[in-house]
Amino acid sequence: MKLKSWPFHLMLLPSLIFLLVFSYVPMAGIIMAFQNYKPWLGFTGSEWVGLDNFRYLFDRQDSMEVIWNTLFIAVFKILFNLAAPFLFAILLNEIRRNGLKRSIQTLVYLPHFLSWVILGGILLDILSTDGGFVNRMLGSAFGIEPIPFLMDGNWFRFTVILSDIWKEFGFGAIVFLAALSNVNPSLYEAAEVDGANRWKQTLHITVPALIPITVVVGTLALGNILNAGFDQIFNLYNPTVYEKGDIIDTFVYRTAIISGEMGFGTAIGLFKSVISLILILTSYRLAYKWANYRIF
């Protein structure tokens, strides 16, 4: 290490300590997945049960429901959070007035910076069946009975997916807009000289320019296929939608923290972590193969 660069390495020290304390030291708790863990007995005194917690995981009906719910919600989030920024970037790219373009960008970016604690409270209020703004509007405009957006499992899934798209699509469009900024303007000029209208220019220049980054974003998203959004679900769900809305992370919280089944909860978390690691490694391999993307 060069003498001049040591201050920059020193700046990394707090982050490395944070990573060590909160990401690596807790990994010692993985041993609980193989024990009938009791907090008052600790790691050394708790009964060793081997793979019983994992067998119990696959024997429980609600465990399979939770895994399916996680996959269902996560897959649709990935698909729509890929399609929505893609389309938005194309539409925004067609706006020629820079002031209007920046204003729209700012407005759609804002929800990304709001926590789900805040947005959850807003959604609980406006989607309420008892005087919520959305149901009042639907009732007055179309005569529709109040819809239980957050009290019915199927509506809950729809609400979770749609609200996540609304929150993230603007921020997700940044990478697509960055890709479009690298497109040579002379391509559009040449296409216009050849008689191509805006639609054909978009179809034959803009869309192909976005394909490589779309492949990268899509393949890397595979690593998060078991992350359906703990913060969002936790702030919106309730016992009436557990059957359709409970995901792995909230299930771990309820079983390990609320019910005290720490060994079983750790087994679920370890199962998810191993599958996620495999998917992340696979997604990086695919990104390198299809789009020549690599970290190192």
Side-chain angles (χ1 to χ4, degrees), residues 137-178:
M137 183 181 66
L138 292 174
S140 61
F142 305 104
I144 299 175
E145 292 294 321
I147 299 174
F149 290 104
L150 300 175
M151 301 298 289
D152 177 85
N154 293 320
W155 278 109
F156 181 80
R157 284 178 174 177
F158 169 80
T159 303
V160 163
I161 294 169
L162 188 63
S163 59
D164 186 73
I165 295 168
W166 166 75
K167 183 177 186 293
E168 300 296 342
F169 85 93
F171 192 79
I174 290 176
V175 292
F176 296 102
L177 291 171

